[in-house]
Amino acid sequence: MTIHVYQIIMILVAIVMISQGVKNYIRGRSGQTLYKLAIRIVVWGGMGLIAIFPDFSNFLANIVGIKGNINAVILTGFILTFLMIFKLLSAIERLEQQISEVTRDDSLKELKSEK
Amino acid sequence: MGDENAKKIFIAIPAFNEEKVIQDVIKEVRAAGYRNIVIVDDGSSDNTQQKAAEMGVVAIKHKINRGKGAATKTAIEACKLLDADIIVTMDGDGQHDPKDIDNLISPILTEGYEVVLGSRLKNPQGMPGYKIIQNKIGNMLTWFLFGLWVTDSQSGFRAYSRHAAEVINTRGDRYEYDSEVIREIYVYKLKYEEISIKVRYTEYSMGKLHKQSLMNGIITLYKMLWRLIS
């Protein structure tokens, strides 16, 4: 079996990303939930798996129901990217609201203390 | 009218970089007979808050700009803290005529309405054509997303009873706020009425075109949609 440079790079990146996620989770760093760790393992683990076993994409194509294995990989990637964007936008939205609440509380502090 | 003995009527005005006109707006509100005025400076880079404070009104400031919706909400919260019975919201750029406040609060005082919406489209004389179209699109989207048809879903000139101010809970910080209020009216089955208001499209208010740009409209729509699915 011939191993290409891109496969080695992909495997190394996947190992670094997963190990960082596991380390953050074990150390209980704030915001590192099990859900986030699971997503990290699925995304980077999936990439590593395809890098090691390129034929795995055929298996993925069968599961997704798309004949072309590359198309199946791209589609799966799109879906995962979409999910991540959705999650990010939700987090930004939540943060925006929290900033507004803090700003409001701060501006009303004087009025509240007069009450 | 301006009879504040029976009910405490507060005028809540969000303002962003309005130092040139805010004192005139306050004078006009006072001339219309209303003394309880709350100005929320939404993180202006000019002296809006100082100019308002010089006039002896309650002038509070957001440390950072959070948008018209957030500033309006802060102004309403401030009015509630000051024991307001009726809260009127209006823009700080002088486009709303304080003489309309009497008509705006009358249905709450005499007929038990909870919310009165000032509508520019009931008598759109003098309103630029593109603004009429923008508003109609906004009304359709508000109806489609939130289920209530109103003639001016984007008007900031509104009056609320104390009860309405307590139950209405919006999340929108920017221009989607106005449409979210319509949703809350629908959700809480608040008794509402629309009345015609006069809007003065001055060179100054028209100069603040950033408020009504197409891109802002698209962002507002995106935020309205996002809140439905997120």
Side-chain angles (χ1 to χ4, degrees):
Chain A
M1 182 171 121
T2 320
I3 293 182
H4 298 280
V5 177
Y6 86 90
Q7 287 174 300
I8 297 167
I9 293 171
M10 277 305 300
I11 292 162
L12 286 176
V13 171
I15 289 170
V16 169
M17 294 307 286
I18 291 172
S19 60
Q20 260 189 355
V22 172
K23 201 163 70 182
N24 288 343
Y25 180 70
I26 291 170
R27 287 181 182 174
R29 199 166 281 180
S30 68
Q32 293 302 314
T33 58
L34 186 63
Y35 175 65
K36 267 181 165 178
L37 178 66
I39 287 180
R40 195 182 269 250
I41 289 171
V42 168
V43 172
W44 290 106
M47 286 188 195
L49 204 64
I50 289 171
I52 301 168
F53 307 107
D55 289 344
F56 178 73
S57 58
N58 286 325
F59 171 70
L60 189 69
N62 281 334
I63 292 178
V64 178
I66 292 175
K67 282 184 182 167
N69 56 345
I70 295 300
N71 288 343
V73 171
I74 291 169
L75 181 71
T76 311
F78 267 124
I79 291 168
L80 288 174
T81 308
F82 177 76
L83 285 174
M84 280 188 279
I85 291 172
F86 191 83
K87 179 94 180 127
L88 271 175
L89 287 174
S90 296
I92 292 168
E93 176 79 18
R94 201 170 51 248
L95 279 172
E96 287 240 16
Q97 277 170 25
Q98 285 170 348
I99 292 168
S100 290
E101 278 306 314
V102 170
T103 309
R104 180 168 300 120
D105 284 348
D106 177 70
S107 62
L108 293 174
K109 209 171 359 180
E110 211 173 306
L111 270 185
K112 280 179 183 165
S113 66
E114 283 170 12
K115 280 277 290 184
Chain B
M1 200 179 295
D3 178 15
E4 295 171 42
N5 295 324
K7 295 271 185 189
K8 281 181 90 174
I9 298 156
F10 273 74
I11 315 302
I13 306 175
F16 178 63
N17 289 340
E18 307 285 12
E19 68 171 6
K20 286 182 188 160
V21 295
I22 197 70
Q23 292 193 332
D24 290 334
V25 171
I26 293 167
K27 279 179 200 163
E28 278 197 316
V29 172
R30 282 183 174 155
Y34 300 92
R35 298 272 151 199
N36 299 321
I37 302 166
V38 173
I39 306 284
V40 173
D41 177 348
D42 187 25
S44 298
S45 55
D46 66 7
N47 294 316
T48 300
Q49 187 197 19
Q50 291 92 317
K51 292 273 181 188
E54 282 169 19
M55 300 292 288
V57 299
V58 176
I60 50 185
K61 181 165 183 164
H62 281 175
K63 277 190 178 154
I64 50 172
N65 179 253
R66 296 307 305 148
K68 188 200 166 192
T72 306
K73 198 171 169 181
T74 301
I76 290 174
E77 288 301 315
C79 293
K80 279 156 63 179
L81 283 170
L82 294 164
D83 298 323
D85 294 313
I86 294 172
I87 300 165
V88 177
T89 61
M90 61 187 284
D91 289 358
D93 60 3
Q95 67 165 279
H96 295 143
D97 188 346
K99 290 191 192 103
D100 283 328
I101 296 174
D102 285 356
N103 297 332
L104 215 55
I105 62 172
S106 175
I108 297 176
L109 287 170
T110 59
E111 297 165 68
Y113 280 91
E114 301 279 10
V115 182
V116 182
L117 307 169
S119 172
R120 295 164 288 184
L121 289 177
K122 285 211 159 198
N123 180 20
Q125 259 186 343
M127 197 170 173
Y130 75 93
K131 281 202 68 64
I132 295 176
I133 294 167
Q134 262 181 18
N135 265 282
K136 292 203 166 169
I137 293 171
N139 295 344
M140 278 197 294
L141 289 169
T142 303
W143 167 75
F144 182 69
L145 297 174
F146 300 142
L148 193 67
W149 176 259
V150 293
T151 59
D152 191 353
S153 60
Q154 307 305 307
S155 166
F157 203 8
R158 294 171 174 175
Y160 304 91
S161 69
R162 175 78 192 200
H163 171 68
E166 295 284 359
V167 296
I168 288 175
N169 184 23
T170 54
R171 290 193 293 160
D173 283 341
R174 304 199 184 264
Y175 287 97
E176 70 277 17
Y177 168 85
D178 293 321
S179 290
E180 281 195 34
V181 169
I182 307 297
R183 179 200 63 205
E184 295 290 285
I185 292 171
Y186 177 73
V187 169
Y188 291 105
K189 310 255 178 294
L190 298 171
K191 193 179 174 191
Y192 77 99
E193 188 176 47
E194 290 184 89
I195 64 146
S196 175
I197 54 161
K198 193 164 73 186
V199 180
R200 300 170 295 190
Y201 289 101
T202 62
E203 204 176 308
Y204 175 80
S205 66
M206 291 298 282
K208 299 192 115 193
L209 273 178
H210 67 276
K211 296 199 301 186
Q212 287 101 13
S213 70
L214 178 65
M215 188 46 77
N216 258 323
I218 293 168
I219 292 170
T220 303
L221 171 62
Y222 153 73
K223 290 202 167 179
M224 282 159 68
L225 285 169
W226 175 254
R227 293 222 165 81
L228 283 179
I229 60 166
S230 64

